[in-house]
Amino acid sequence: MHGRPTLARPARAAALAAAAALALSACGSSDDQGSGDGSSAVAATVDGQTITVGDVQRTTRELRTYLEAQAASTGQQPQQLEAANVLTLLVQTPAVLEFAEQEDLPVASAASMRSDLAEVLPSASDKTIDFLRANTAGSQLDQATQEDLVAALDEQQVTISPRYAAASNQTPEWLEQPVEEQLPMEAP
């Protein structure tokens, strides 16, 4: 997929650190316009598997609902989540789950996670369920194991849509324009 940036190692490591510290908290956004599952446009491709803009939008909405329920149960203000951060975490989810399986880490099954979330998210998407499973597994990792996971994430073939590329500081070359080639703005 020419013209689309790949996710660099520093962005992966930062996202992994964010996921570990996340325990489902981040910053605000407005990427979930309307209802339904959203667009089928490609947000990212990970090792040949597609994550759509609709997947990102739905997972963002569902995680926000989850965060609001968590906050309500603790009496705190709910944390908000940016869609670009959700995409980064969705990109990592399959690798985290695979890594956890290879390392024999305990990971909740999709069915048990669904059951646990039934009251808050009665019809959670598979992407949301897998993300929450991966988040739980990732929170169990010590520093050395996190480094091994970052190495596994480095092996992924990831392509990010320009729509989300700025969040990972990955501006496509066709959007960049060297300073010396920029034309000065003319006064009217």
Side-chain angles (χ1 to χ4, degrees):
M1 294 200 176
H2 184 67
R4 293 193 179 194
T6 56
L7 190 60
R9 186 175 198 271
R12 288 184 189 158
L16 175 62
L22 179 68
L24 291 176
S25 62
C27 307
S29 174
S30 62
D31 200 298
D32 56 11
Q33 304 150 345
S35 61
D37 288 343
S39 172
S40 61
V42 175
T45 304
V46 183
D47 295 331
Q49 299 297 312
T50 299
I51 299 171
T52 67
V53 171
D55 293 334
V56 175
Q57 291 171 338
R58 180 173 180 186
T59 300
T60 301
R61 283 191 309 272
E62 291 174 346
L63 291 175
R64 285 180 181 159
T65 299
Y66 177 78
L67 288 169
E68 289 168 4
Q70 268 192 334
S73 71
T74 62
Q76 298 178 7
Q77 288 292 319
Q79 298 293 317
Q80 293 188 348
L81 199 60
E82 285 194 39
N85 292 345
V86 170
L87 175 61
T88 300
L89 299 170
L90 287 175
V91 162
Q92 297 174 355
T93 293
V96 172
L97 290 173
E98 183 178 325
F99 180 82
E101 183 179 312
Q102 290 172 354
E103 296 293 315
D104 291 325
L105 297 172
V107 178
S109 70
S112 68
M113 184 62 72
R114 243 180 235 295
S115 176
D116 291 346
L117 296 172
E119 191 173 313
V120 175
L121 296 171
S123 59
S125 69
D126 292 341
K127 297 270 188 213
T128 299
I129 295 297
D130 285 346
F131 165 78
L132 291 169
R133 292 175 57 227
N135 188 64
T136 302
S139 69
Q140 302 172 49
L141 304 179
D142 60 25
Q143 182 66 32
T145 311
Q146 284 180 8
E147 291 172 11
D148 292 342
L149 177 56
V150 168
L153 291 171
D154 240 4
E155 295 175 15
Q156 289 182 302
Q157 296 297 312
V158 179
T159 304
I160 304 287
S161 163
R163 174 179 182 164
Y164 296 100
S168 61
N169 295 321
Q170 302 283 323
T171 305
E173 289 179 21
W174 55 269
L175 285 179
E176 294 177 4
Q177 187 176 26
V179 174
E180 58 272 0
E181 292 180 24
Q182 293 177 355
L183 300 174
M185 293 189 64
E186 295 181 24

